[in-house]
Amino acid sequence: MLRVISALVLATVATAKENGMALTPPMGWRSWNLYGADVTQELIETIMDGMVDRSRTVDGKPTSLCDLGYCDVGLDDNWQKCGSYGEKGYTFHTDDGAPVVNEELFPDMKAMTDKAHSIGLTAGWYGNNCICAENDTDEDKFYEGDVKALIRFGFDGVKLDGCGSQLNLELYDDLINATGKAITMENCHWGSAPPFEPTLDWCPWNFFRTSGDVRAAYGSVMENLATTYKYADTLLSRPGCWSYPDMLEIGCDHGPGGDDDTGLNEQESRSHFGSWCIISSPLTLSMDVNNATVMDSVWELIANPEAIEVNQAWFGHPGGPYLSSSENITLEYDSYVAPSYQYLYKPLSWDGSKVAVLIMNSEVDERTLDLKFDDIPGFKGEKGVKVRCVWGRKDVGQFDDVLEGVEILGHDARFFVLEK
Ligand SMILES: *[C@@H]1O[C@H](CO)[C@@H](O)[C@H](O)[C@H]1NC(C)=O
Ligand SMILES: *[C@@H]1O[C@H](CO)[C@@H](O)[C@H](O)[C@H]1NC(C)=O
Ligand SMILES: *[C@@H]1O[C@H](CO)[C@@H](O)[C@H](O)[C@H]1NC(C)=O
Ligand SMILES: *[C@@H]1O[C@H](CO)[C@@H](O)[C@H](O)[C@H]1NC(C)=O
């Protein structure tokens, strides 16, 4: 079964977006959850310093976020100067199609991206904005003006939101392609139907949002996660075209969601990070990387090289659930109904000999579950399976048929790598 899938995906990869970007899930940081509309060039440049800071370690070695792979710094909404321009009163474009930057807050975009590049980062921009969304700019000159600015300002990527009237992602892709610069494109159309969803031979962006905005609440994280599942077995999430249930809320309290953002405790943060890793989601941090309290509390999790390795691996399937409880639980956020427990997997080899498994417990109370090899695709009847704990980064042992009695705290997840 897995081998058939692999051959199919190899064929489809050749027809996915061919800009050479995002061959593994992109990793970085983006401004929305931390700053919302209150973002400035100075704040972004301070975040850049935090992303290359090596005051923390992995296995005793000074390591920065960028050393781990989180190297893209993304500016989100509200760089624009909202007003009324040109004959028709465009809100942040002039008559000739150029976007208008708020130069009080962003005095020099090019200097900002130059700084990113000078310290080994890439820089992402943001378009088709939600704040003072344009409602009448679906003419080529506006797309052309945006793409010219994207290149002139020196950005390496762009998130294209769904709020304004510039909804033609293929046109953006064509114009960007014609510049000759490979730009990582994010389709932020919240899981809307075609033309914002890829097909097996069409994907003019590098990753696509499958849901509305995530909040710092366990129910929201679970709800957004599940929106990726339909793209997993259909192989619509693949190298160069990843499904994406939004940024990581780890280390974020009370973000733009206000009262809905209750924050995530340690167990919930593990479930969030582990599930984003195992489904090959882009990993976009959004906490204050310069706040020592926040960073100390999340470092071990987001800097776990074995979890990141699972995320970045590609062996023909992006990862998804293989077993869900028939019992459900209604979570607080949005009254979202989740399976009481769920098992996710992702292949880690072409011959089916190695897989990652994440077991999630959505109940409030601790529980004990068995990991039966018969249930795991390609592991039926396996004996002598080597099991490694990803969170603990240590071998658990060798087992026949089952790993019994896996204890999982409420809202927590256990993460394993299994090898035949
Ligand atoms: C432009 O598109 C062509 C055809 O898909 C691709 O081979 C090329 O790498 C693209 N160039 C850039 C800069 O994205
Ligand atoms: C765009 O918004 C302006 C101001 O609210 C309004 O006057 C105009 O009719 C709108 N245009 C379209 C195409 O919706
Ligand atoms: C750092 O984060 C902690 C925990 O969220 C918060 O209480 C504190 O105010 C933050 N410090 C700064 C300087 O932002
Ligand atoms: C749990 O939810 C699933 C998916 O919505 C549904 O198919 C199933 O019937 C539910 N189980 C129970 C016991 O209600």
Side-chain angles (χ1 to χ4, degrees):
M1 177 62 181
L2 279 176
R3 246 171 256 174
V4 175
I5 286 173
S6 310
L8 185 66
V9 164
L10 281 179
T12 59
V13 166
T15 50
K17 188 166 173 63
E18 282 174 2
N19 65 350
M21 306 307 278
L23 297 179
T24 64
M27 295 171 66
W29 181 96
R30 185 163 270 281
S31 63
W32 185 253
N33 289 343
L34 183 61
Y35 298 129
D38 300 322
V39 65
T40 65
Q41 179 171 342
E42 198 182 339
L43 288 171
I44 294 287
E45 292 191 12
T46 306
I47 291 289
M48 292 178 189
D49 295 330
M51 289 172 75
V52 297
D53 173 77
R54 291 200 174 104
S55 57
R56 289 180 180 74
T57 60
V58 173
D59 296 334
K61 191 179 166 216
T63 302
S64 71
L65 287 171
C66 183
D67 291 333
L68 290 159
Y70 304 98
C71 292
D72 188 71
V73 57
L75 165 59
D76 213 88
D77 207 346
N78 217 29
W79 50 263
Q80 67 277 28
K81 187 165 174 61
C82 294
S84 177
Y85 304 94
E87 281 171 36
K88 291 192 180 168
Y90 302 115
T91 60
F92 67 95
H93 284 87
T94 58
D95 264 342
D96 63 4
V100 184
V101 172
N102 186 337
E103 288 179 353
E104 275 165 48
L105 303 179
F106 292 88
D108 192 342
M109 285 284 201
K110 181 64 168 54
M112 185 179 82
T113 65
D114 282 347
K115 166 160 177 164
H117 297 147
S118 73
I119 55 176
L121 303 174
T122 56
W125 205 24
Y126 174 89
N128 198 36
N129 307 27
C130 292
I131 295 172
C132 68
E134 295 279 17
N135 66 3
D136 200 14
T137 49
D138 187 25
E139 275 176 68
D140 287 9
K141 65 178 178 184
F142 296 100
Y143 293 84
E144 286 160 10
D146 286 353
V147 171
K148 272 188 205 147
L150 177 74
I151 300 298
R152 187 169 73 247
F153 293 153
F155 286 105
D156 309 281
V158 64
K159 167 180 172 180
L160 294 164
D161 216 328
C163 293
S165 56
Q166 287 168 260
L167 303 174
N168 189 339
L169 295 175
E170 198 165 278
L171 177 55
Y172 268 126
D173 178 39
D174 288 346
L175 291 167
I176 289 171
N177 183 279
T179 69
K181 179 169 177 179
I183 296 278
T184 306
M185 268 175 73
E186 174 184 345
N187 153 355
C188 179
H189 286 265
W190 322 307
S192 335
F196 303 116
E197 200 171 56
T199 63
L200 277 177
D201 58 8
W202 181 80
C203 185
W205 50 75
N206 296 111
F207 56 111
F208 59 103
R209 278 277 297 276
T210 55
S211 64
D213 288 1
V214 69
R215 297 296 179 213
Y218 180 74
S220 174
V221 168
M222 289 300 111
E223 183 174 21
N224 276 26
L225 171 67
T227 61
T228 65
Y229 293 167
K230 70 172 178 168
Y231 302 102
D233 285 337
T234 51
L235 300 172
L236 292 174
S237 179
R238 56 193 193 259
C241 181
W242 304 103
S243 68
Y244 176 47
D246 204 4
M247 294 172 269
L248 292 162
E249 289 277 13
I250 291 158
C252 300
D253 282 347
H254 308 295
D259 288 346
D260 279 344
D261 287 1
T262 52
L264 302 171
N265 65 24
E266 191 184 330
Q267 296 83 264
E268 294 166 341
S269 298
R270 269 196 295 268
S271 296
H272 188 10
F273 193 67
S275 58
W276 261 235
C277 281
I278 205 165
I279 59 137
S280 307
S281 170
L283 300 177
T284 312
L285 303 169
S286 58
M287 80 292 253
D288 184 353
V289 301
N290 293 309
N291 182 317
T293 312
V294 170
M295 288 301 283
D296 287 345
S297 71
V298 302
W299 179 254
E300 201 184 333
L301 180 63
I302 63 169
N304 183 316
E306 297 182 34
I308 294 172
E309 198 180 323
V310 170
N311 174 258
Q312 297 286 296
W314 176 253
F315 292 96
H317 190 287
Y322 68 88
L323 182 67
S324 305
S325 61
S326 51
E327 255 175 82
N328 299 314
I329 174 159
T330 302
L331 300 174
E332 212 170 298
Y333 180 87
D334 218 9
S335 300
Y336 176 65
V337 177
S340 161
Y341 61 81
Q342 194 165 47
Y343 293 70
L344 280 69
Y345 85 114
K346 178 181 176 182
L348 296 178
S349 72
W350 289 114
D351 65 4
S353 64
K354 195 174 173 187
V355 292
V357 172
L358 187 82
I359 317 177
M360 297 192 298
N361 171 21
S362 283
E363 299 286 342
V364 172
D365 295 327
E366 178 174 356
R367 76 191 308 162
T368 300
L369 292 167
D370 292 339
L371 174 55
K372 293 182 187 140
F373 304 153
D374 273 1
D375 297 327
I376 305 169
F379 271 65
K380 198 168 175 57
E382 282 302 324
K383 315 273 182 218
V385 171
K386 282 175 265 170
V387 177
R388 186 168 171 83
C389 170
V390 173
W391 296 147
R393 299 191 58 205
K394 56 173 189 261
D395 293 330
V396 182
Q398 244 174 310
F399 301 86
D400 296 339
D401 305 309
V402 61
L403 174 64
E404 280 182 327
V406 179
E407 287 169 14
I408 317 174
L409 298 175
H411 290 188
D412 206 348
R414 297 286 303 272
F415 203 172
F416 300 104
V417 167
L418 276 61
E419 201 168 356
K420 286 180 189 169

